[in-house]
Amino acid sequence: MAKSIQAVRGMNDILPEQSAAWQYLEDTLRGVIHSYGYREIRLPLLEKTELFKRSIGEVTDIVEKEMYTFEDRNGDSLTLRPEGTAGCVRAALEHGLLHNQVQRLWYAGPMFRHERPQKGRYRQFHQIGVEAFGMEGPDIDAEMILMTSQLWRALGLREITLQINSLGTLESRAAYRVALVDYLHGCESSLDEDSRRRLNSNPLRILDSKNPDMQAIIGDAPRLPDYLDPESRAHFEEVCAILDDAGIGYEVNPRLVRGLDYYSKTVFEWVTDRLGAQGTVCAGGRYDGLVEFLGGRPTPATGFALGLERMIALLEAHSIELPDNSPHVYLVLSGTQGIRRGMVYAGELRDAVGGLRLQVNCGGGSFKSQFKRADKSGARYALVIGDDEAVKGSVAIKPLRSDGEQETLTQQLAGQRLRELLDIDWESRPAGKAD
Ligand code: ATP
Ligand code: MG
């Protein structure tokens, strides 16, 4: 036998038994995001490497050590996207979406980072991201946070807490930077290698360090909020006021800086302690400088991304009940005429009962083995068509999960009867849209 080939480390298959949870998650998130008036944008997985270097920042974990970068056959340097914001801004600029207008956009899909794989941290993972352009006030920052809070409610998730902070403008950050570098120079001998390297290139990033040995030093560092400019302070207070009015609890975390270069003013993270070390499920904030930095006109922007693998783990931790996607009905067939008629009849039934999930027995088998498969499929009813029924134009309906009697009726009437028996709110649903 040939040696089997395994998936790339840190890149997971999502198997059929897991996909119900993924669909529930994606459908729910999409529903809430659409209810806020955001529109989907679909973006390529590959972008020019330069885009990420310029937008995320050269001295960040992502650009320094996590990107999947390669030369394509033309010799161009390309990178598998490690996050979605850069590509979204690139596309919005390229297609003139930011010209004298506001935009509310979202996207979803896989992201790629060459990190050490562990629970909640993978090399291919999935995000849903939301970005809003052209609005500079605290209202849109608050909307982002209200929307995420609505997402948790819609999913039935509790025990996620909100941390927020303001990074201020570039100018106020510069003043803070001086104070921070001054302080960090004082304890340079205790800094880890990454932090020592960043001391001169990107000292704020040190506050984002995951190294436990660095936490005491970070805890005693000067606090960003003490250096905020008045405008950023007022902006931040207004975000907080809206959250207060909406009854959303939060913790102001003065050490929250986020790992990317492009943030300014409001930043936030939703964290949980239900997932061990990888507890941040959603992160975002304002990035007013990025559009201009990527060649556009100055355009205020704010957004967030949430990690779907960690959301799935949370759904599991909360034992959230998932919608049942198994077939409603299993069609048992026998005899040449029975099979021929049944294959066609299955399509007629699906047309007649929009949303019906009907699985046809293919591959033959005795009645006994077909009923075994019917049971295993999770269906509530079996329909039976043999040569006899094919000739007569009839069909038998047999309950699989209750003691009810088997009924035989005309093939024409069976659709109506199934509607009654299954008692689902079918109301004008297109095929495949039932719950
Ligand atoms: P972390 O601090 O956990 O490394 P990050 O700041 O690098 O996260 P972002 O770039 O803000 O993460 O991405 C937003 C969200 O995407 C994170 O909050 C997390 O839920 C998810 N995420 C990020 N990296 C990974 C990964 N390697 N595997 C799975 N999910 C991830
Ligand atoms: Mg990271």
Side-chain angles (χ1 to χ4, degrees):
M1 267 213 298
K3 192 163 173 275
S4 62
I5 297 171
Q6 252 114 56
V8 177
R9 196 163 114 83
M11 308 211 175
N12 299 315
D13 302 303
I14 296 167
L15 299 176
E17 59 259 34
Q18 302 162 317
S19 60
W22 281 82
Q23 285 161 3
Y24 167 71
L25 176 63
E26 289 162 351
D27 291 350
T28 309
L29 296 175
R30 196 183 305 124
V32 172
I33 293 168
H34 283 165
S35 79
Y36 279 74
Y38 287 71
R39 297 183 304 155
E40 184 180 15
I41 182 166
R42 299 195 180 201
L43 304 160
L45 303 194
L46 274 177
E47 298 275 1
K48 293 182 181 152
T49 303
E50 183 58 24
L51 175 69
F52 300 116
K53 283 198 176 161
R54 235 210 275 175
S55 61
I56 297 170
E58 297 263 5
V59 194
T60 55
D61 277 352
I62 292 181
V63 172
E64 279 182 337
K65 45 191 181 195
E66 295 175 359
M67 293 204 305
Y68 280 91
T69 297
F70 63 95
E71 258 186 31
D72 81 353
R73 288 169 194 276
N74 307 326
D76 298 326
S77 179
L78 303 182
T79 294
L80 277 167
R81 64 180 185 191
E83 54 98 57
T85 303
C88 185
V89 171
R90 194 266 313 135
L93 280 175
E94 191 167 334
H95 301 287
L97 304 188
L98 306 183
H99 199 64
N100 292 331
Q101 56 194 316
V102 301
Q103 286 288 350
R104 285 176 156 91
L105 304 174
W106 71 275
Y107 53 80
M111 306 293 162
F112 304 85
R113 298 185 194 176
H114 196 275
E115 308 195 62
R116 192 169 67 80
Q118 54 197 289
K119 186 169 176 284
R121 196 174 286 289
Y122 309 101
R123 290 181 173 174
Q124 173 175 325
F125 62 99
H126 297 77
Q127 286 183 341
I128 283 190
V130 174
E131 320 283 357
F133 299 98
M135 292 162 274
E136 63 187 357
D139 47 4
I140 189 71
D141 295 10
E143 175 171 283
M144 291 286 161
I145 297 173
L146 297 181
M147 179 167 26
T148 45
S149 165
Q150 174 77 29
L151 292 173
W152 317 146
R153 260 200 310 285
L155 289 165
L157 296 175
R158 303 166 307 274
E159 299 172 62
I160 310 182
T161 56
L162 174 62
Q163 300 201 345
I164 53 177
N165 192 24
S166 176
L167 300 181
T169 56
L170 284 179
E171 297 79 53
S172 62
R173 270 222 302 289
Y176 172 67
R177 188 189 147 119
V178 172
L180 181 65
V181 170
D182 207 37
Y183 162 81
L184 290 170
H185 269 303
C187 34
E188 199 169 344
S189 57
S190 325
L191 297 182
D192 66 9
E193 198 193 310
D194 269 348
S195 303
R196 218 168 297 156
R197 195 160 37 84
R198 287 176 180 176
L199 188 49
N200 297 312
S201 54
N202 208 340
L204 258 72
R205 196 73 353 95
I206 296 175
L207 301 181
D208 201 34
S209 165
K210 303 279 186 310
N211 184 349
D213 298 339
M214 288 291 301
Q215 299 311 311
I217 294 173
I218 292 169
D220 288 339
R223 293 158 27 102
L224 221 156
D226 299 335
Y227 293 79
L228 271 194
D229 54 290
E231 193 218 324
S232 297
R233 189 182 305 277
H235 183 108
F236 187 60
E237 281 166 4
E238 191 52 29
V239 174
C240 294
I242 297 173
L243 297 183
D244 290 337
D245 284 354
I248 294 175
Y250 55 87
E251 183 196 329
V252 177
N253 175 357
R255 315 279 169 220
L256 184 66
V257 293
R258 308 282 308 114
L260 318 183
D261 259 3
Y262 51 57
Y263 287 102
S264 57
K265 291 190 179 156
T266 316
V267 287
F268 65 93
E269 287 193 355
W270 288 92
V271 282
T272 176
D273 48 23
R274 293 292 293 270
L275 299 179
Q278 318 310 331
T280 305
V281 291
C282 172
R286 181 164 278 284
Y287 52 96
D288 288 343
L290 182 62
V291 174
E292 192 180 5
F293 205 54
L294 289 178
R297 300 193 188 147
T299 306
T302 184
F304 67 83
L306 55 91
L308 296 190
E309 279 77 4
R310 294 182 196 177
M311 300 293 315
I312 291 283
L314 256 189
L315 288 176
E316 281 165 10
H318 282 74
S319 307
I320 302 280
E321 202 182 314
L322 299 172
D324 180 8
N325 289 331
S326 49
H328 300 113
V329 172
Y330 191 95
L331 181 54
V332 170
L333 300 177
S334 79
T336 311
Q337 296 309 316
I339 292 172
R340 279 194 193 159
R341 177 64 199 131
M343 295 304 296
V344 178
Y345 180 57
E348 293 167 8
L349 255 189
R350 292 190 194 98
D351 284 345
V353 186
L356 181 68
R357 291 193 297 272
L358 183 156
Q359 193 169 96
V360 178
N361 185 82
C362 289
S366 65
F367 273 119
K368 196 174 159 200
S369 65
Q370 291 198 43
F371 271 99
K372 251 195 195 154
R373 287 180 211 149
D375 252 338
K376 208 176 152 203
S377 76
R380 286 166 60 194
Y381 292 90
L383 298 187
V384 186
I385 298 184
D387 284 340
D388 204 30
E389 285 83 3
V391 172
K392 286 189 191 145
S394 64
V395 58
I397 304 183
K398 187 176 172 357
L400 296 170
R401 316 267 156 215
S402 62
D403 300 331
E405 289 289 304
Q406 174 167 325
E407 317 172 18
T408 301
L409 59 174
T410 67
Q411 287 169 12
Q412 273 216 313
L413 289 178
Q416 183 51 38
R417 184 65 184 133
L418 278 176
R419 281 174 197 266
E420 293 162 16
L421 287 170
L422 290 165
D423 191 26
I424 294 171
D425 179 18
W426 303 105
E427 233 191 305
S428 68
R429 291 176 202 235
K433 273 283 176 149
D435 41 25

